[in-house]
Amino acid sequence: MEGDVVIIGAGLIGLALARELAQRGASVRMLETGEPGHAASWAAAGMLAPSSEGLDGAFYELCLASLERYPAFAAALHEETGLDVHLRREGFISPAYDDAGLAFVERRAAEARERGFHARMLTTAQTLQLEPALAPVRAAALFEHEASVDNRRLGRALRAAVERLGVRIDEGLPWVRLAATHRRVNGVETASGFVPASIVVNAAGAWAGSLEGVPELARVPVEPVKGQMLALGMPANLVRHTIYARHGTYLVPRDDGRLIVGATGERVGFDTRVTAAGVQRLLERALRVAPGLKDLALVETWAGLRPGTPDSLPYLGPGAIEGYFLATGHLRNGVLLTPITAEVVADAIEGRAPRIPLAPFSPERARAASNVAS
Ligand code: GLY
Protein backbone atom coordinates (compact mmCIF):
# COMPACT_ATOMS: atom_id res chain seq x y z
CA MET A 1 0.00 0.00 0.00
CA GLU A 2 1.05 3.63 -0.41
CA GLY A 3 0.81 6.47 2.04
CA ASP A 4 1.84 7.52 5.51
CA VAL A 5 0.51 6.02 8.69
CA VAL A 6 1.22 7.18 12.22
CA ILE A 7 0.63 4.69 15.03
CA ILE A 8 0.24 6.00 18.57
CA GLY A 9 1.47 3.32 20.96
CA ALA A 10 4.39 0.95 20.39
CA GLY A 11 3.11 -2.02 22.35
CA LEU A 12 2.81 -5.45 20.77
CA ILE A 13 -0.34 -4.41 18.91
CA GLY A 14 1.13 -1.19 17.51
CA LEU A 15 4.43 -2.85 16.62
CA ALA A 16 2.80 -5.82 14.87
CA LEU A 17 0.55 -3.46 12.92
CA ALA A 18 3.54 -1.29 11.96
CA ARG A 19 5.34 -4.41 10.71
CA GLU A 20 2.32 -5.58 8.71
CA LEU A 21 1.76 -2.15 7.12
CA ALA A 22 5.44 -1.62 6.36
CA GLN A 23 5.61 -5.06 4.75
CA ARG A 24 2.66 -4.00 2.59
CA GLY A 25 4.59 -0.92 1.46
CA ALA A 26 3.30 1.83 3.76
CA SER A 27 5.54 4.43 5.30
CA VAL A 28 4.95 4.06 9.05
CA ARG A 29 6.00 6.15 12.03
CA MET A 30 5.36 5.25 15.65
CA LEU A 31 4.86 7.60 18.58
CA GLU A 32 5.29 6.27 22.11
CA THR A 33 5.19 8.11 25.41
CA GLY A 34 6.99 5.30 27.24
CA GLU A 35 9.31 2.57 26.02
CA PRO A 36 8.24 0.27 23.15
CA GLY A 37 6.75 -3.02 24.33
CA HIS A 38 6.93 -1.99 27.98
CA ALA A 39 3.37 -1.54 29.25
CA ALA A 40 0.80 -4.37 29.21
CA SER A 41 2.92 -5.99 26.48
CA TRP A 42 5.74 -6.47 28.96
CA ALA A 43 3.56 -7.24 31.98
CA ALA A 44 1.47 -9.98 30.35
CA ALA A 45 1.88 -13.71 30.91
CA GLY A 46 1.83 -14.47 27.17
CA MET A 47 -0.92 -17.10 27.26
CA LEU A 48 -2.46 -18.09 23.93
CA ALA A 49 -5.50 -19.82 25.34
CA PRO A 50 -9.00 -19.20 23.95
CA SER A 51 -10.42 -22.38 25.51
CA SER A 52 -8.93 -21.99 28.98
CA GLU A 53 -9.89 -18.31 29.11
CA GLY A 54 -13.53 -19.41 28.64
CA LEU A 55 -14.16 -17.22 25.60
CA ASP A 56 -17.13 -17.54 23.28
CA GLY A 57 -18.93 -16.12 20.24
CA ALA A 58 -17.22 -13.87 17.73
CA PHE A 59 -14.43 -13.14 20.19
CA TYR A 60 -13.60 -16.85 20.52
CA GLU A 61 -13.45 -17.09 16.71
CA LEU A 62 -11.15 -14.09 16.52
CA CYS A 63 -8.88 -15.57 19.19
CA LEU A 64 -8.79 -18.97 17.46
CA ALA A 65 -7.87 -17.30 14.18
CA SER A 66 -5.01 -15.51 15.91
CA LEU A 67 -3.81 -18.67 17.68
CA GLU A 68 -3.72 -20.44 14.32
CA ARG A 69 -1.38 -17.73 12.99
CA TYR A 70 1.10 -17.88 15.88
CA PRO A 71 3.52 -20.59 14.68
CA ALA A 72 4.03 -18.85 11.33
CA PHE A 73 4.18 -15.44 13.04
CA ALA A 74 6.88 -16.62 15.48
CA ALA A 75 8.82 -18.35 12.70
CA ALA A 76 8.69 -15.26 10.47
CA LEU A 77 9.94 -13.05 13.30
CA HIS A 78 12.79 -15.47 13.91
CA GLU A 79 13.66 -15.38 10.24
CA GLU A 80 13.48 -11.57 10.11
CA THR A 81 15.38 -10.81 13.32
CA GLY A 82 17.18 -13.94 14.54
CA LEU A 83 15.21 -13.62 17.82
CA ASP A 84 13.33 -16.59 19.24
CA VAL A 85 10.09 -15.61 21.01
CA HIS A 86 9.96 -18.93 22.89
CA LEU A 87 6.63 -20.23 21.67
CA ARG A 88 5.85 -23.15 24.00
CA ARG A 89 3.38 -25.68 22.70
CA GLU A 90 3.15 -28.16 25.59
CA GLY A 91 -0.51 -27.24 26.07
CA PHE A 92 -2.62 -26.10 29.01
CA ILE A 93 -3.95 -28.06 31.95
CA SER A 94 -7.17 -26.74 33.47
CA PRO A 95 -7.74 -28.43 36.85
CA ALA A 96 -11.19 -28.95 38.39
CA TYR A 97 -11.75 -29.33 42.11
CA ASP A 98 -15.54 -29.53 42.33
CA ASP A 99 -18.70 -30.27 40.30
CA ALA A 100 -18.93 -26.76 38.83
CA GLY A 101 -15.27 -26.75 37.84
CA LEU A 102 -15.54 -30.18 36.30
CA ALA A 103 -18.64 -29.24 34.28
CA PHE A 104 -16.82 -26.13 33.03
CA VAL A 105 -13.64 -27.86 31.86
CA GLU A 106 -15.56 -30.80 30.37
CA ARG A 107 -17.69 -28.39 28.34
CA ARG A 108 -14.66 -26.43 27.13
CA ALA A 109 -12.84 -29.64 26.20
CA ALA A 110 -15.88 -30.91 24.26
CA GLU A 111 -16.16 -27.57 22.43
CA ALA A 112 -12.48 -27.66 21.55
CA ARG A 113 -12.80 -31.22 20.23
CA GLU A 114 -15.78 -30.17 18.08
CA ARG A 115 -13.42 -27.62 16.51
CA GLY A 116 -10.94 -30.39 15.74
CA PHE A 117 -8.46 -29.60 18.53
CA HIS A 118 -6.83 -32.16 20.79
CA ALA A 119 -8.47 -31.71 24.16
CA ARG A 120 -8.98 -34.54 26.62
CA MET A 121 -9.89 -35.16 30.20
CA LEU A 122 -7.26 -36.40 32.66
CA THR A 123 -7.87 -38.37 35.86
CA THR A 124 -6.31 -37.31 39.17
CA ALA A 125 -3.45 -39.76 38.69
CA GLN A 126 -2.83 -38.75 35.07
CA THR A 127 -2.76 -35.07 36.05
CA LEU A 128 -0.29 -35.63 38.88
CA GLN A 129 1.86 -37.80 36.67
CA LEU A 130 2.15 -34.93 34.17
CA GLU A 131 2.50 -32.23 36.83
CA PRO A 132 3.66 -33.60 40.20
CA ALA A 133 3.80 -30.14 41.84
CA LEU A 134 -0.01 -29.82 41.69
CA ALA A 135 -2.43 -30.46 44.53
CA PRO A 136 -4.75 -33.45 43.97
CA VAL A 137 -7.49 -32.52 41.52
CA ARG A 138 -10.92 -34.00 40.90
CA ALA A 139 -9.96 -34.18 37.21
CA ALA A 140 -8.43 -31.85 34.64
CA ALA A 141 -8.68 -30.97 30.97
CA LEU A 142 -5.59 -30.97 28.78
CA PHE A 143 -5.84 -28.50 25.89
CA GLU A 144 -3.03 -29.48 23.57
CA HIS A 145 -3.69 -26.67 21.07
CA GLU A 146 -3.02 -23.91 23.59
CA ALA A 147 0.40 -22.34 23.85
CA SER A 148 2.35 -19.51 25.42
CA VAL A 149 4.91 -17.05 24.19
CA ASP A 150 7.50 -14.99 26.04
CA ASN A 151 5.83 -11.62 25.49
CA ARG A 152 8.94 -9.66 26.50
CA ARG A 153 10.97 -11.43 23.85
CA LEU A 154 8.08 -10.91 21.42
CA GLY A 155 8.24 -7.17 22.06
CA ARG A 156 11.98 -7.12 21.37
CA ALA A 157 11.55 -9.18 18.20
CA LEU A 158 8.76 -6.97 16.87
CA ARG A 159 10.76 -3.85 17.59
CA ALA A 160 13.76 -5.28 15.74
CA ALA A 161 11.50 -6.33 12.85
CA VAL A 162 9.94 -2.89 12.40
CA GLU A 163 13.28 -1.11 12.70
CA ARG A 164 14.68 -3.37 9.97
CA LEU A 165 11.73 -2.27 7.84
CA GLY A 166 12.66 1.38 8.32
CA VAL A 167 9.87 2.30 10.73
CA ARG A 168 10.85 5.26 12.88
CA ILE A 169 9.89 4.97 16.56
CA ASP A 170 9.82 8.19 18.58
CA GLU A 171 9.81 7.00 22.19
CA GLY A 172 9.69 8.69 25.58
CA LEU A 173 7.59 11.55 24.23
CA PRO A 174 6.30 13.67 27.12
CA TRP A 175 2.89 13.93 25.41
CA VAL A 176 1.03 13.29 22.15
CA ARG A 177 -2.23 14.80 20.96
CA LEU A 178 -4.35 13.90 17.95
CA ALA A 179 -4.74 16.79 15.50
CA ALA A 180 -8.16 16.45 13.92
CA THR A 181 -11.27 18.30 12.86
CA HIS A 182 -14.68 16.77 13.53
CA ARG A 183 -14.40 15.25 10.03
CA ARG A 184 -10.87 13.92 9.66
CA VAL A 185 -7.39 13.53 11.15
CA ASN A 186 -4.51 15.80 10.12
CA GLY A 187 -1.71 14.25 12.14
CA VAL A 188 -0.40 14.19 15.68
CA GLU A 189 1.02 17.01 17.78
CA THR A 190 3.87 15.93 20.03
CA ALA A 191 6.24 17.56 22.47
CA SER A 192 8.85 17.40 19.67
CA GLY A 193 6.68 18.91 16.95
CA PHE A 194 3.80 18.22 14.58
CA VAL A 195 3.71 14.94 12.65
CA PRO A 196 1.38 15.24 9.65
CA ALA A 197 -0.53 12.11 8.63
CA SER A 198 -3.69 11.25 6.74
CA ILE A 199 -4.03 8.02 8.75
CA VAL A 200 -3.55 7.77 12.52
CA VAL A 201 -4.02 4.57 14.50
CA ASN A 202 -4.75 4.71 18.21
CA ALA A 203 -2.98 1.64 19.65
CA ALA A 204 -2.39 3.25 23.02
CA GLY A 205 -3.66 0.32 25.11
CA ALA A 206 -5.05 1.35 28.50
CA TRP A 207 -4.40 5.01 27.57
CA ALA A 208 -6.39 4.84 24.30
CA GLY A 209 -9.54 6.34 25.83
CA SER A 210 -7.68 9.33 27.23
CA LEU A 211 -5.83 10.32 24.05
CA GLU A 212 -6.14 14.08 23.83
CA GLY A 213 -7.43 15.85 20.74
CA VAL A 214 -9.90 13.14 19.73
CA PRO A 215 -13.19 14.83 18.81
CA GLU A 216 -16.07 13.89 21.11
CA LEU A 217 -17.83 11.86 18.42
CA ALA A 218 -14.78 9.62 17.95
CA ARG A 219 -13.93 8.99 21.60
CA VAL A 220 -14.27 5.45 22.94
CA PRO A 221 -14.26 4.38 26.57
CA VAL A 222 -11.20 2.42 27.75
CA GLU A 223 -10.58 1.61 31.41
CA PRO A 224 -7.30 0.29 32.83
CA VAL A 225 -7.66 -3.11 34.51
CA LYS A 226 -4.64 -3.71 36.70
CA GLY A 227 -2.96 -7.09 36.78
CA GLN A 228 -0.40 -7.86 39.48
CA MET A 229 1.95 -10.73 38.71
CA LEU A 230 4.99 -12.45 40.11
CA ALA A 231 7.67 -14.88 39.01
CA LEU A 232 9.17 -17.83 40.87
CA GLY A 233 12.56 -19.29 40.04
CA MET A 234 11.91 -22.88 39.00
CA PRO A 235 14.18 -25.94 38.65
CA ALA A 236 14.11 -27.16 35.04
CA ASN A 237 10.76 -28.69 34.08
CA LEU A 238 9.22 -28.56 37.57
CA VAL A 239 6.07 -27.31 35.79
CA ARG A 240 5.89 -28.05 32.05
CA HIS A 241 2.34 -27.15 31.02
CA THR A 242 0.62 -23.89 31.70
CA ILE A 243 -1.75 -24.53 34.58
CA TYR A 244 -4.93 -22.50 34.23
CA ALA A 245 -7.17 -22.74 37.27
CA ARG A 246 -10.55 -21.04 37.35
CA HIS A 247 -10.97 -17.50 38.68
CA GLY A 248 -7.99 -16.27 36.71
CA THR A 249 -5.18 -18.05 38.56
CA TYR A 250 -2.48 -19.34 36.28
CA LEU A 251 1.11 -20.64 36.29
CA VAL A 252 3.04 -20.17 33.07
CA PRO A 253 6.46 -21.84 32.68
CA ARG A 254 9.11 -19.98 30.73
CA ASP A 255 12.11 -21.41 28.91
CA ASP A 256 14.34 -19.10 31.01
CA GLY A 257 13.47 -21.01 34.21
CA ARG A 258 10.88 -18.60 35.59
CA LEU A 259 7.35 -19.61 36.47
CA ILE A 260 4.95 -16.71 35.96
CA VAL A 261 2.07 -16.50 38.44
CA GLY A 262 -0.94 -14.33 37.61
CA ALA A 263 -2.99 -12.34 38.03
CA THR A 264 -5.19 -9.88 39.80
CA GLY A 265 -7.87 -7.92 37.92
CA GLU A 266 -8.40 -4.57 39.61
CA ARG A 267 -10.24 -1.45 38.45
CA VAL A 268 -8.17 1.11 40.36
CA GLY A 269 -7.27 3.60 37.63
CA PHE A 270 -3.70 4.10 36.41
CA ASP A 271 -2.10 2.60 39.52
CA THR A 272 0.73 0.15 38.81
CA ARG A 273 1.93 -0.45 42.35
CA VAL A 274 2.52 -4.00 43.50
CA THR A 275 0.67 -4.29 46.80
CA ALA A 276 1.06 -6.55 49.81
CA ALA A 277 -2.51 -7.80 49.39
CA GLY A 278 -1.97 -8.43 45.68
CA VAL A 279 1.12 -10.58 46.24
CA GLN A 280 -0.57 -12.37 49.13
CA ARG A 281 -3.56 -13.25 46.94
CA LEU A 282 -1.37 -14.52 44.11
CA LEU A 283 0.80 -16.66 46.36
CA GLU A 284 -2.14 -18.05 48.32
CA ARG A 285 -3.92 -19.13 45.15
CA ALA A 286 -0.78 -20.44 43.46
CA LEU A 287 0.20 -22.58 46.46
CA ARG A 288 -3.34 -23.92 46.77
CA VAL A 289 -3.12 -25.06 43.12
CA ALA A 290 0.50 -26.24 43.38
CA PRO A 291 1.79 -26.76 46.96
CA GLY A 292 4.97 -28.13 45.41
CA LEU A 293 6.05 -24.55 44.66
CA LYS A 294 6.33 -23.44 48.29
CA ASP A 295 10.14 -23.49 48.50
CA LEU A 296 10.81 -21.68 45.24
CA ALA A 297 12.41 -18.26 45.30
CA LEU A 298 10.21 -15.26 44.58
CA VAL A 299 12.32 -13.53 41.91
CA GLU A 300 10.15 -10.75 40.52
CA THR A 301 6.89 -8.88 41.09
CA TRP A 302 5.25 -6.38 38.74
CA ALA A 303 1.94 -4.96 37.62
CA GLY A 304 0.51 -3.81 34.31
CA LEU A 305 -2.67 -2.24 32.97
CA ARG A 306 -4.94 -4.15 30.58
CA PRO A 307 -7.10 -2.01 28.28
CA GLY A 308 -10.70 -2.75 29.30
CA THR A 309 -13.82 -1.81 27.34
CA PRO A 310 -17.44 -1.77 28.56
CA ASP A 311 -18.28 -5.04 26.74
CA SER A 312 -14.77 -6.52 27.14
CA LEU A 313 -14.31 -6.66 23.35
CA PRO A 314 -11.54 -4.85 21.48
CA TYR A 315 -11.92 -1.88 19.16
CA LEU A 316 -10.62 -2.88 15.73
CA GLY A 317 -10.98 -0.76 12.62
CA PRO A 318 -12.12 2.69 11.57
CA GLY A 319 -13.20 5.28 14.12
CA ALA A 320 -15.86 7.90 13.58
CA ILE A 321 -13.73 10.39 11.63
CA GLU A 322 -11.88 9.90 8.38
CA GLY A 323 -8.35 8.59 8.72
CA TYR A 324 -8.75 7.58 12.39
CA PHE A 325 -8.41 3.89 13.25
CA LEU A 326 -8.34 1.97 16.51
CA ALA A 327 -6.48 -1.17 17.55
CA THR A 328 -6.96 -1.41 21.28
CA GLY A 329 -9.17 -2.69 24.10
CA HIS A 330 -7.81 -6.25 24.03
CA LEU A 331 -8.19 -6.59 27.82
CA ARG A 332 -6.87 -10.10 28.77
CA ASN A 333 -5.95 -11.26 25.28
CA GLY A 334 -3.68 -8.69 23.68
CA VAL A 335 -0.74 -11.04 23.22
CA LEU A 336 -2.94 -13.73 21.70
CA LEU A 337 -4.66 -11.22 19.42
CA THR A 338 -1.49 -9.53 18.19
CA PRO A 339 -1.14 -11.31 14.79
CA ILE A 340 -4.81 -11.16 13.80
CA THR A 341 -5.16 -7.53 14.93
CA ALA A 342 -2.24 -6.51 12.72
CA GLU A 343 -3.81 -8.28 9.78
CA VAL A 344 -7.40 -7.08 10.08
CA VAL A 345 -6.57 -3.49 11.00
CA ALA A 346 -4.09 -3.28 8.11
CA ASP A 347 -6.87 -4.61 5.84
CA ALA A 348 -9.27 -1.97 7.17
CA ILE A 349 -6.70 0.79 6.55
CA GLU A 350 -6.18 -0.48 3.01
CA GLY A 351 -9.95 -0.65 2.48
CA ARG A 352 -9.86 -4.41 1.85
CA ALA A 353 -12.86 -6.61 2.63
CA PRO A 354 -12.48 -8.00 6.16
CA ARG A 355 -11.44 -11.67 6.24
CA ILE A 356 -13.11 -12.00 9.64
CA PRO A 357 -16.44 -10.29 10.48
CA LEU A 358 -15.38 -7.16 12.34
CA ALA A 359 -18.80 -5.72 13.20
CA PRO A 360 -18.69 -6.98 16.83
CA PHE A 361 -15.38 -5.13 17.27
CA SER A 362 -16.29 -1.91 15.48
CA PRO A 363 -15.31 1.17 17.50
CA GLU A 364 -18.65 2.61 16.37
CA ARG A 365 -20.51 0.29 18.74
CA ALA A 366 -19.21 2.37 21.66
CA ARG A 367 -21.00 5.41 20.24
CA ALA A 368 -24.17 3.46 19.50
CA ALA A 369 -24.21 2.19 23.10
CA SER A 370 -23.73 5.68 24.53
CA ASN A 371 -26.57 7.01 22.30
CA VAL A 372 -28.85 4.30 23.69
CA ALA A 373 -27.79 5.13 27.24
CA SER A 374 -28.32 8.89 26.83
N1 GLY B 1 -4.74 -13.23 30.03
C1 GLY B 1 -4.51 -13.24 31.39
C2 GLY B 1 -4.62 -11.98 32.10
O1 GLY B 1 -4.88 -10.95 31.51
O2 GLY B 1 -4.47 -12.00 33.28
Side-chain angles (χ1 to χ4, degrees):
M1 78 172 266
E2 288 179 6
D4 289 356
V5 182
V6 168
I7 299 175
I8 300 174
L12 295 179
I13 297 290
L15 288 165
L17 177 60
R19 169 178 171 270
E20 181 76 27
L21 288 166
Q23 285 176 338
R24 296 187 193 189
S27 163
V28 185
R29 183 160 167 186
M30 307 194 72
L31 306 175
E32 166 61 56
T33 52
E35 205 182 320
H38 265 256
S41 303
W42 183 85
M47 294 186 293
L48 312 176
S51 300
S52 297
E53 281 266 344
L55 309 176
D56 49 32
F59 191 55
Y60 182 51
E61 300 302 326
L62 187 75
C63 288
L64 286 178
S66 207
L67 176 62
E68 196 179 291
R69 282 155 172 79
Y70 246 99
F73 180 60
L77 283 171
H78 192 224
E79 176 89 356
E80 290 161 33
T81 67
L83 296 173
D84 181 349
V85 300
H86 290 184
L87 184 64
R88 288 182 64 121
R89 303 178 73 180
E90 282 86 357
F92 274 46
I93 289 180
S94 275
Y97 304 98
D98 54 25
D99 289 348
L102 184 60
F104 177 79
V105 297
E106 277 180 338
R107 181 165 59 77
R108 296 309 300 195
E111 279 167 11
R113 279 195 301 275
E114 276 164 28
R115 302 297 300 249
F117 298 118
H118 290 286
R120 60 191 164 93
M121 294 304 298
L122 303 172
T123 63
T124 309
Q126 287 169 330
T127 310
L128 294 180
Q129 196 182 4
L130 287 178
E131 293 295 351
L134 296 189
V137 296
R138 169 91 172 270
L142 172 62
F143 297 105
E144 290 181 23
H145 60 297
E146 296 191 322
S148 68
V149 68
D150 185 329
N151 39 289
R152 296 180 185 177
R153 295 180 78 95
L154 180 59
R156 290 198 288 277
L158 280 169
R159 180 180 186 160
V162 303
E163 285 178 343
R164 275 183 74 253
L165 288 161
V167 172
R168 172 173 163 186
I169 307 177
D170 296 325
E171 60 184 288
L173 292 166
W175 54 267
V176 296
R177 184 177 197 281
L178 188 73
T181 66
H182 65 285
R183 282 185 199 283
R184 60 161 304 109
V185 301
N186 296 315
V188 184
E189 292 162 20
T190 79
S192 320
F194 180 65
V195 183
S198 54
I199 295 172
V200 176
V201 183
N202 181 346
W207 293 266
S210 33
L211 177 63
E212 287 191 28
V214 180
E216 191 54 40
L217 82 165
R219 298 191 79 86
V220 291
V222 178
E223 185 190 16
V225 182
K226 175 176 168 179
Q228 299 192 50
M229 318 265 293
L230 57 86
L232 302 174
M234 177 177 73
N237 293 328
L238 179 67
V239 176
R240 290 182 52 251
H241 302 78
T242 290
I243 312 299
Y244 196 107
R246 284 186 86 200
H247 311 303
T249 299
Y250 47 79
L251 313 171
V252 188
R254 289 271 193 264
D255 287 358
D256 65 8
R258 291 181 314 143
L259 181 68
I260 310 298
V261 177
T264 65
E266 304 161 70
R267 294 178 188 271
V268 289
F270 291 91
D271 166 15
T272 52
R273 289 173 312 127
V274 174
T275 63
V279 172
Q280 181 190 32
R281 198 177 330 155
L282 292 173
L283 286 174
E284 249 174 34
R285 290 182 182 176
L287 293 181
R288 216 179 301 145
V289 170
L293 307 179
K294 69 180 188 337
D295 293 323
L296 300 189
L298 173 57
V299 293
E300 192 186 347
T301 59
W302 68 96
L305 301 173
R306 310 173 183 90
T309 63
D311 57 9
S312 299
L313 298 177
Y315 300 126
L316 305 176
I321 58 172
E322 202 183 321
Y324 184 52
F325 290 80
L326 289 105
T328 190
H330 296 78
L331 189 58
R332 301 176 57 90
N333 288 286
V335 182
L336 170 57
L337 289 168
T338 292
I340 195 74
T341 298
E343 217 174 279
V344 300
V345 176
D347 286 350
I349 290 170
E350 283 196 295
R352 287 199 207 172
R355 48 192 103 183
I356 295 208
L358 285 185
F361 316 114
S362 163
E364 284 294 276
R365 75 184 189 279
R367 207 150 58 96
S370 70
N371 287 344
V372 169
S374 59

